[in-house]
Amino acid sequence: YIALSHCWGKSTPLVTTTESLADHMRGMPLKDMPKTFREAITITRELGLEFLWIDSLCILQDSKEDWEKESAKMSSVYGNAFLTLSASASEGCEQGIFQPRTVYPGPPVELRCNDSNFEPIYVDYMPENTVFQEPQTTDARAWCFQELALSPRVLVYGKEMLGWLCDSLTDVEHGFVKEHYENINPPLLAPRLNPEPAKNPLENSGSIFSLYHHSRERERSFSRWASMVNAFSRRKLTRESDKLPALSGIAREIHLETGDEYLAGLWRKDLSHHLLWNLDVIFAGKGAEWRRPLSYRAPSWSWAAIEGPIRMDLR
């Protein structure tokens, strides 16, 4: 199956409720679906798959019990998906996945150096944001963070071009390619949870999640979690109470892999370091604000008790 990662936008998309569940189980006319859903169905069909998971349709939106049960399964939903479609350029469900973009006069020209070991270069009209270094719409949304971090493969429909992200490489339509065999911190999207690829990918037969607390990589593991929290804290939520649930899928996989105890956004084995988080007043940028949430969601010693950018040292 394919999973969809998208922004709902200001209006509520088509949703499944306890009242509409029976009707939706019988079928939903395409004409009643928002544009993003229709285009996700088109992509799914073109790729030869039968099933598509969409959060607003697959979780009962008026049932707190169903929402809590299903939101706790995000690591399984996105981690086991054949592919995740990221509607990165769309600000809402009615905008669709296929966004209008500038048409350039021709494809890039590849230049290779015959007398050296340099990688080939591409000569072309240079659009802004070729390697997705500028934020896409989904980059500001907290729920989208773990959806992409948990997914083994992501097809990104960006503002300017398509992008591909998996454990092996980042590949962008306009010619940028980055293999991850030597560098497991790809420049595109959320930090990856999946294991560092072996020199020969066929040799990598371990658990699909091996992020945290390998005995020889403890410091790097701490830095990875700290990096995730730093990036996550800058993202926005429609409901403040979703702060920890929106990261719970990643936390669940770390707990299953390590057995470490999760303490409201911190880990017991690194607790002495995690407690040293602080407000990111240096790198947060103009307009950043910090405040307590309107309702309690975490103890005061947790970074999740603050609304606004925070920073854990990467050490």
Side-chain angles (χ1 to χ4, degrees), residues 86-261:
S86 176
S88 295
S90 177
E91 296 180 0
C93 291
E94 295 298 339
Q95 288 191 359
I97 296 176
F98 306 124
Q99 297 289 302
R101 58 183 183 175
T102 303
V103 178
Y104 294 94
V109 177
E110 181 181 3
L111 298 181
R112 292 182 176 271
C113 301
N114 295 327
D115 57 349
S116 71
N117 293 323
F118 288 114
E119 293 291 324
I121 62 174
Y122 296 85
V123 179
D124 196 5
Y125 291 89
M126 183 69 170
E128 295 181 4
N129 199 20
T130 296
V131 293
F132 286 81
Q133 291 174 331
E134 295 297 322
Q136 302 290 296
T137 301
T138 53
D139 292 340
R141 305 307 302 173
W143 278 103
C144 293
F145 183 90
Q146 75 167 359
E147 291 168 3
L148 301 190
L150 291 165
S151 302
R153 306 168 196 86
V154 183
L155 185 57
V156 186
Y157 285 83
K159 296 177 181 178
E160 298 90 359
M161 64 195 74
L162 285 170
W164 170 267
L165 178 64
C166 65
D167 298 326
S168 298
L169 56 82
T170 295
D171 196 345
V172 178
E173 178 183 350
H174 214 68
F176 177 86
V177 180
K178 177 67 175 179
E179 293 186 349
H180 301 162
Y181 297 143
E182 300 295 338
N183 177 13
I184 60 171
N185 294 311
L188 179 62
L189 308 176
R192 304 300 295 167
L193 276 181
N194 292 0
E196 178 178 4
K199 295 293 183 180
N200 178 357
L202 296 178
E203 297 174 358
N204 191 4
S205 57
S207 168
I208 61 169
F209 291 101
S210 57
L211 165 68
Y212 198 73
H213 278 305
H214 293 290
S215 59
R216 294 179 299 173
E217 299 178 357
R218 179 171 178 133
E219 290 191 5
R220 188 171 71 174
S221 300
F222 171 82
S223 297
R224 188 71 64 83
W225 175 254
S227 176
M228 285 187 176
V229 169
N230 293 345
F232 178 79
S233 69
R234 287 164 168 73
R235 298 196 174 206
K236 304 299 182 184
L237 286 162
T238 301
R239 297 187 298 182
E240 289 183 347
S241 59
D242 287 354
K243 192 77 165 184
L244 289 175
L247 205 58
S248 63
I250 295 175
R252 174 179 171 79
E253 293 303 326
I254 292 173
H255 169 71
L256 291 175
E257 179 71 22
T258 67
D260 202 353
E261 185 178 2

Side-chain angles (χ1 to χ4, degrees), residues 19-37:
E19 184 178 352
S20 64
L21 177 60
D23 287 338
H24 284 186
M25 292 289 288
R26 284 191 289 269
M28 290 172 279
L30 280 175
K31 63 181 180 61
D32 294 341
M33 295 187 179
K35 189 176 181 181
T36 294
F37 293 7

Side-chain angles (χ1 to χ4, degrees), residues 1-8 13-14 33-41 43-44 51-58 74 77-78 81-88 90 92-93 96-98 138 143-144 147-148 151 153-155 157:
Y1 66 93
I2 285 178
L4 177 65
S5 177
H6 67 109
C7 294
W8 283 29
L14 179 66
M33 295 187 179
K35 189 176 181 181
T36 294
F37 293 7
R38 296 197 306 269
E39 293 180 350
I41 290 171
I43 296 169
T44 301
F51 302 103
L52 173 65
W53 191 93
I54 300 176
D55 52 0
S56 67
L57 299 181
C58 297
M74 290 301 98
V77 169
Y78 286 94
F82 173 77
L83 174 70
T84 293
L85 298 178
S86 176
S88 295
S90 177
C93 291
I97 296 176
F98 306 124
T138 53
W143 278 103
C144 293
E147 291 168 3
L148 301 190
S151 302
R153 306 168 196 86
V154 183
L155 185 57
Y157 285 83

